[in-house]
Amino acid sequence: MNKEKNIVLIGFMGCGKTTFGKRISKRLGMEFVDTDRYIELKEKMSISDIFASKGEGYFRNLEKNLCKELSNSSGKVIATGGGIIKSPDNMRELSKNGVILYLRAVPEHIYRNVANDKSRPLLEGHDKMRRISELMRERTPLYEKYADLTVSVSGDTVKNVTEKILYALEGRKMKKICVIHGPNLNFTGIREKAIYGTGTLDDINKYIIDEGKKLGFEVEIFQSNFEGAIIDRLQKCYFDKVDGVVINPGAYTHYSYAIRDAIASIQIPTIEVHLSNIHQRDEFRHKSVTAPVCVGQMCGFGPDGYILAMTALKMRFK
Ligand code: DQA
């Protein structure tokens, strides 16, 4: 787990974001911030009083400013207010340097935790169980959408759930991706510019590394004009326990059973990329002998194809 990243806890009111946040911050030696408490201290007023005297809009605005501030921080465990996910801007800010961890709870569990709590303005004056179920129906898809990790908190002890959270965070090491370019791709920017574009392979690689970082990947890049060297590199991916491979096998795509066998052997999700749309070109390029052992193929999108392939890997890892 990268200590510099914030850990952002999201989940329904009363699911235990503060309780678990404090525990994991202690265990990981990170600073704990509770966005609701932070706002209360700053405003010198309870959340219920802010809602009652200044309205929900005023509160959401304070929350928004705080998310912006937190996006520039690091190494914090942040317990958020239950409604924070209603703002895509807030979530964008928080995920800039944060791992979003969703604490999932069932409505009965929430009811037990908040039934006697007067500091929950959204529940006041309602049949609480009904209101919890309604709000949960509305918010669950959002929690799920933004979560990098989900831990179920209902039906287990605080101690066990804390361990589950730490275990989930530990498993979230940066994924390693290897991008392999086959023969003649080092000539990109020189060869057949109308087909392959004017950017050089260095330009493309810089783009891959920058976008890979944004996706949370550590990216290694390799290029060779030799079939055996590409096979050796694929096998190295196996020994290095690489999480995903993106490969443009160049012309080997159309006839290298040896590269196909290597891809099949390493058992690592592999995505094939071609700068050009091979299906619009010479007949011999229509067939890929390597694609059948890959998860999928991306072709015709130029350098964006590599980014699309990494995005597809990211979706598989979720
Ligand atoms: C290519 C397509 C292949 O047919 C060709 O041999 C290449 C490049 C592409 O990226 O479009 O070398 O893989």
Side-chain angles (χ1 to χ4, degrees), residues 239-293:
F239 293 114
D240 290 351
K241 297 192 171 54
V242 161
D243 299 290
V245 171
V246 172
I247 185 165
N248 181 346
Y252 284 135
T253 306
H254 315 298
Y255 66 96
S256 175
Y257 296 117
I259 290 180
R260 174 195 170 117
D261 283 351
I263 296 171
S265 312
I266 58 173
Q267 299 159 63
I268 299 171
T270 298
I271 300 192
E272 181 171 308
V273 170
H274 299 285
L275 294 166
S276 63
N277 183 345
I278 53 175
H279 305 288
Q280 287 173 346
R281 301 183 59 200
D282 327 68
E283 186 89 32
F284 78 87
R285 293 184 207 274
H286 295 182
K287 185 169 172 63
S288 165
V289 300
T290 44
V293 291

Side-chain angles (χ1 to χ4, degrees), residues 2 52 108 110 172 221 275 285:
N2 178 359
E108 296 73 19
I110 299 295
R172 214 200 124 77
I221 300 190
L275 294 166
R285 293 184 207 274

Side-chain angles (χ1 to χ4, degrees), residues 42-60:
K42 215 169 173 184
E43 292 291 299
K44 299 189 179 64
M45 216 188 264
S46 71
I47 301 290
S48 297
D49 288 343
I50 299 175
F51 266 67
S53 63
K54 303 192 170 172
E56 184 175 352
Y58 179 83
F59 171 76
R60 296 288 171 219

Side-chain angles (χ1 to χ4, degrees), residues 23 54 98 103 155 203 206 218 223 232 287-288 293 303 312:
R23 286 182 155 241
K54 303 192 170 172
L103 301 180
D203 297 334
K206 192 177 170 315
E218 203 180 295
Q223 190 278 327
D232 284 347
K287 185 169 172 63
S288 165
V293 291

Side-chain angles (χ1 to χ4, degrees), residues 47-112:
I47 301 290
S48 297
D49 288 343
I50 299 175
F51 266 67
S53 63
K54 303 192 170 172
E56 184 175 352
Y58 179 83
F59 171 76
R60 296 288 171 219
N61 204 33
L62 294 173
E63 205 174 42
K64 190 174 171 180
N65 293 338
L66 178 55
C67 289
K68 246 192 214 146
E69 206 178 304
L70 289 169
S71 74
N72 294 316
S73 71
S74 59
K76 289 186 172 45
V77 176
I78 303 169
T80 59
I84 213 144
I85 37 85
K86 281 169 69 181
S87 156
D89 286 347
N90 287 347
M91 293 315 296
R92 201 173 318 113
E93 291 295 342
L94 290 170
S95 40
K96 266 189 196 158
N97 191 38
V99 176
I100 312 288
L101 195 146
Y102 167 37
L103 301 180
R104 186 175 51 210
V106 297
E108 296 73 19
H109 175 173
I110 299 295
Y111 180 75
R112 252 179 283 124

Side-chain angles (χ1 to χ4, degrees), residues 108-291:
E108 296 73 19
H109 175 173
I110 299 295
Y111 180 75
R112 252 179 283 124
N113 285 355
V114 302
N116 298 318
D117 187 346
K118 295 268 174 284
S119 69
R120 307 285 180 180
L122 289 177
L123 299 182
E124 281 313 303
H126 294 275
D127 170 336
K128 286 192 178 160
M129 188 60 204
R130 225 172 126 177
R131 185 77 181 124
I132 289 169
S133 304
E134 266 170 25
L135 283 170
M136 262 195 160
R137 249 196 314 278
E138 178 190 316
R139 292 180 179 183
T140 299
L142 293 172
Y143 293 129
E144 287 173 351
K145 173 177 163 191
Y146 293 117
D148 295 312
L149 294 168
T150 300
V151 173
S152 186
V153 297
S154 298
D156 211 341
T157 61
V158 169
K159 191 165 170 265
N160 283 349
V161 173
T162 306
E163 294 310 316
K164 276 202 290 191
I165 294 173
L166 291 168
Y167 185 75
L169 288 167
E170 181 53 32
R172 214 200 124 77
K173 296 219 171 76
M174 240 191 175
K175 301 271 186 208
K176 261 194 282 184
I177 299 289
C178 184
V179 176
I180 300 177
H181 304 288
N184 297 309
L185 284 151
N186 56 323
F187 250 50
T188 310
I190 302 170
R191 77 197 280 228
E192 301 170 276
K193 291 183 194 163
I195 297 172
Y196 299 117
T198 51
T200 65
L201 190 61
D202 279 348
D203 297 334
I204 295 175
N205 286 343
K206 192 177 170 315
Y207 182 39
I208 292 172
I209 295 207
D210 287 351
E211 295 300 313
K213 250 187 217 147
K214 289 185 203 161
L215 289 166
F217 291 149
E218 203 180 295
V219 187
E220 276 185 14
I221 300 190
F222 175 80
Q223 190 278 327
S224 177
N225 294 327
F226 298 93
E227 188 177 27
I230 294 168
I231 293 165
D232 284 347
R233 191 64 186 81
L234 283 163
Q235 291 182 357
K236 185 174 184 311
C237 288
Y238 171 82
F239 293 114
D240 290 351
K241 297 192 171 54
V242 161
D243 299 290
V245 171
V246 172
I247 185 165
N248 181 346
Y252 284 135
T253 306
H254 315 298
Y255 66 96
S256 175
Y257 296 117
I259 290 180
R260 174 195 170 117
D261 283 351
I263 296 171
S265 312
I266 58 173
Q267 299 159 63
I268 299 171
T270 298
I271 300 192
E272 181 171 308
V273 170
H274 299 285
L275 294 166
S276 63
N277 183 345
I278 53 175
H279 305 288
Q280 287 173 346
R281 301 183 59 200
D282 327 68
E283 186 89 32
F284 78 87
R285 293 184 207 274
H286 295 182
K287 185 169 172 63
S288 165
V289 300
T290 44

